[in-house]
Amino acid sequence: MKHQKDIEWTSLENASKIFPATWSVKDPKVFRLVCELYEAVDSEFLQKALDRTIDDYPLYRSVMRTGIFWYYLEASDIRPEVQIESDTVCAPIYLGHKNNLLFRVIYYKNRINLEVFHALSDGTGAVRFLQALVYYYLMFKHEEKFANTILVNDHSSISGLMDDSFDKYFVGGSQKNSKMQTPKAVRAYQIHGVRRADNRLNLIEGSMSTQNVLNEAHKYHTTLTVFLTSLYIYAIGKDMHARKKIHPVILTVPVNLRQYYESVTARNFFSCINIGYSYEKDTDDLKTVIESVSDHFKKYITVEYLNNRSNKYMAMEQNLLTRIIPLPIKDLILRIVAGLARRQTTSTVSNLGKISMPTELHSAIRQFSACISARRPQMTLCSYGDRLVVSISSPYRETNIQRTFFRLLSKAEIEIEISSNI
């Protein structure tokens, strides 16, 4: 008599539930992380590295399943295979009921690309996977040269990487004694343009010196993130028609909660804040934009605000009525909610921060970059050493905002290396 193998499954954590309900061909909820090397990628060693990395991150062997009330992740025996790049950037991964892994590793020339369906992990969690993948690749490819190199963040337990940190740190409900107020929901300015017939994502990347951008930010007594977010709002403002300025520019900024709670999870663990600027009420002077954005960051990136926001969403999930609603109806509700939320935001700015690798590997790695599938233009940035890469992805043919943004940096005498798939 054959014994059935126990099926391992994992429920989606709070931030992941929206993605399988709202994905589409136009917005597949996929993001890409890239490591650019100084040499061409060898597919044989990359496959060997992927086989090793997947053992460290069993979460990445998961496939999506649908239950009566919620989606969930189920462990699989599918072996991921590296592929040479042949599809569009951030092409769909999750396709409904198809039994497939929720990530892909592809390569082209000297670039290793990791693409992930957002329900599997957030950017920070996926960075850890890519760090391990690149580390093992270089270990196998240059065994003698890097034999004694150690990946510093390689010590997390599998249980820690699989941790549902939302369930661990948030109980649901709001804090009664909190004085923090959520910004009032208003209709935001919407960026429009002409989509490509094949839904191909347009990607423009600018690589520059991290220190040079920091120096420019310090002239305004602000941080790199605030400076670049302000510059993006300023570039959007320059593209707005006067009659559209009755609507504020509102950017959604994801915040990595691992900075505030003790977590090493490779799953989703983030919250979001909205940064708004009204061109109808305020001036279009860059200094004024920076001051306003800086005030918003200081006000909303606090443990108190993030805790309240996360607890509120946990309370919605734990509500008895919510739990017993069948999945198809939940999907419909989530799509309606997502549609309303889109009206309240103009774009998104995601900063993955500093990506680190062992010092011994610096001679092999040129830079890291990231981008995300988009229903409208979105900006993503990350740095490695003194290489900062700012990526603006867009479903539209128009590139006015992107041109204005990078020209503003050039006018500040910051040397930029531009690359694009247009």
Side-chain angles (χ1 to χ4, degrees):
M1 184 177 184
K2 291 184 178 179
H3 293 279
Q4 280 193 323
K5 181 180 178 181
D6 290 338
I7 297 174
E8 298 177 14
W9 65 275
T10 305
S11 59
L12 294 185
E13 74 289 324
N14 185 264
S16 296
K17 290 181 167 65
I18 190 73
F19 299 116
T22 59
W23 80 278
S24 67
V25 174
K26 289 184 177 180
D27 185 14
K29 308 297 182 186
V30 173
F31 61 88
R32 170 183 283 200
L33 303 178
V34 181
C35 177
E36 185 175 326
L37 305 176
Y38 283 110
E39 62 180 14
V41 175
D42 186 312
S43 61
E44 181 180 344
F45 286 106
L46 184 58
Q47 182 63 58
K48 188 176 179 182
L50 180 56
D51 292 340
R52 179 66 180 83
T53 306
I54 204 74
D55 289 337
D56 293 348
Y57 291 82
L59 172 70
Y60 278 70
R61 284 193 183 275
S62 303
V63 297
M64 186 73 70
R65 296 297 192 198
T66 55
I68 298 174
F69 301 109
W70 290 113
Y71 294 93
Y72 63 95
L73 299 176
E74 183 180 284
S76 79
D77 294 325
I78 300 173
R79 178 178 181 260
E81 295 183 0
V82 302
Q83 297 176 331
I84 190 168
E85 184 167 17
S86 60
D87 210 337
T88 57
V89 176
C90 295
I93 292 178
Y94 176 64
L95 299 170
H97 297 288
K98 187 177 179 181
N99 187 41
N100 63 291
L101 297 177
L102 303 176
F103 79 102
R104 62 171 73 98
V105 173
I106 50 184
Y107 65 95
Y108 181 71
K109 294 184 177 179
N110 61 333
R111 294 162 68 98
I112 297 173
N113 306 319
L114 170 66
E115 293 188 339
V116 180
F117 180 52
H118 215 324
L120 183 67
S121 178
D122 60 17
T124 302
V127 164
R128 290 181 64 99
F129 185 92
L130 182 61
Q131 286 172 311
L133 178 66
V134 173
Y135 167 77
Y136 287 126
Y137 172 79
L138 293 173
M139 291 302 100
F140 293 140
K141 182 79 178 351
H142 303 284
E143 188 174 356
E144 293 184 5
K145 184 177 181 181
F146 300 127
N148 298 318
T149 304
I150 298 174
L151 186 62
V152 176
N153 65 4
D154 194 33
H155 304 296
S156 302
S157 66
I158 288 178
S159 61
L161 295 171
M162 296 286 288
D163 187 38
D164 181 348
S165 293
F166 282 101
D167 188 58
K168 182 176 181 179
Y169 288 106
F170 305 115
V171 296
S174 59
Q175 304 300 310
K176 294 181 180 179
N177 298 325
S178 174
K179 298 179 181 180
M180 291 296 298
Q181 292 185 343
T182 302
K184 184 180 178 181
V186 296
R187 185 176 180 83
Y189 170 69
Q190 302 294 305
I191 302 170
H192 296 289
V194 179
R195 290 180 176 272
R196 294 185 177 275
D198 59 358
N199 292 313
R200 184 161 64 91
L201 193 70
N202 285 345
L203 178 63
I204 299 177
E205 292 183 342
S207 303
M208 62 205 81
S209 164
T210 305
Q211 189 58 54
N212 287 349
V213 178
L214 273 172
N215 291 342
E216 190 64 23
H218 291 163
K219 291 179 183 178
Y220 294 92
H221 309 288
T222 193
T223 65
L224 182 147
T225 303
V226 168
F227 174 68
L228 291 177
T229 301
S230 303
L231 215 60
Y232 189 41
I233 290 176
Y234 187 80
I236 292 172
K238 289 297 181 184
D239 194 53
M240 294 174 71
H241 292 175
R243 65 180 180 276
K244 295 291 186 180
K245 292 186 177 181
I246 60 172
H247 300 298
V249 175
I250 301 177
L251 303 185
T252 296
V253 180
V255 179
N256 174 22
L257 293 177
R258 298 168 186 80
Q259 301 173 87
Y260 306 97
Y261 303 91
E262 194 173 326
S263 172
V264 294
T265 184
R267 301 171 67 187
N268 283 289
F269 192 44
F270 69 95
S271 186
C272 293
I273 63 168
N274 285 340
I275 303 296
Y277 189 83
S278 173
Y279 281 102
E280 182 185 41
K281 298 177 181 178
D282 301 311
T283 70
D284 61 357
D285 173 65
L286 178 58
K287 185 174 182 291
T288 305
V289 175
I290 291 173
E291 289 173 350
S292 175
V293 170
S294 179
D295 288 343
H296 276 81
F297 267 78
K298 291 174 183 176
K299 182 177 181 179
Y300 295 116
I301 301 187
T302 66
V303 174
E304 183 182 7
Y305 180 80
L306 297 171
N307 191 63
N308 284 346
R309 183 181 174 90
S310 298
N311 272 309
K312 182 180 75 172
Y313 285 113
M314 282 295 291
M316 293 178 187
E317 178 187 332
Q318 293 167 357
N319 181 278
L320 179 60
L321 179 61
T322 303
R323 295 172 70 175
I324 63 175
I325 294 175
L327 184 59
I329 299 176
K330 278 196 182 85
D331 281 353
L332 178 61
I333 294 171
L334 286 172
R335 284 193 285 269
I336 292 171
V337 170
L340 293 173
R342 282 196 296 272
R343 296 179 185 179
Q344 298 166 13
T345 58
T346 305
S347 183
T348 300
V349 174
S350 300
N351 184 2
L352 294 177
K354 299 176 183 178
I355 297 177
S356 61
M357 292 295 286
T359 305
E360 297 89 337
L361 303 183
H362 286 190
S363 61
I365 301 171
R366 184 169 185 260
Q367 65 184 28
F368 284 86
S369 60
C371 68
I372 189 167
S373 61
R375 295 181 68 98
R376 57 253 182 117
Q378 300 198 56
M379 188 170 83
T380 313
L381 54 138
C382 65
S383 64
Y384 173 69
D386 193 45
R387 295 282 292 187
L388 170 69
V389 181
V390 180
S391 307
I392 302 179
S393 53
S394 171
Y396 303 134
R397 294 177 182 271
E398 293 83 357
T399 59
N400 295 340
I401 294 171
Q402 295 92 315
R403 282 203 308 270
T404 301
F405 176 83
F406 287 115
R407 281 175 179 171
L408 288 167
L409 288 170
S410 294
K411 285 182 179 178
E413 299 183 352
I414 295 172
E415 187 175 335
I416 308 171
E417 177 187 311
I418 297 290
S419 60
S420 172
N421 69 343
I422 299 176

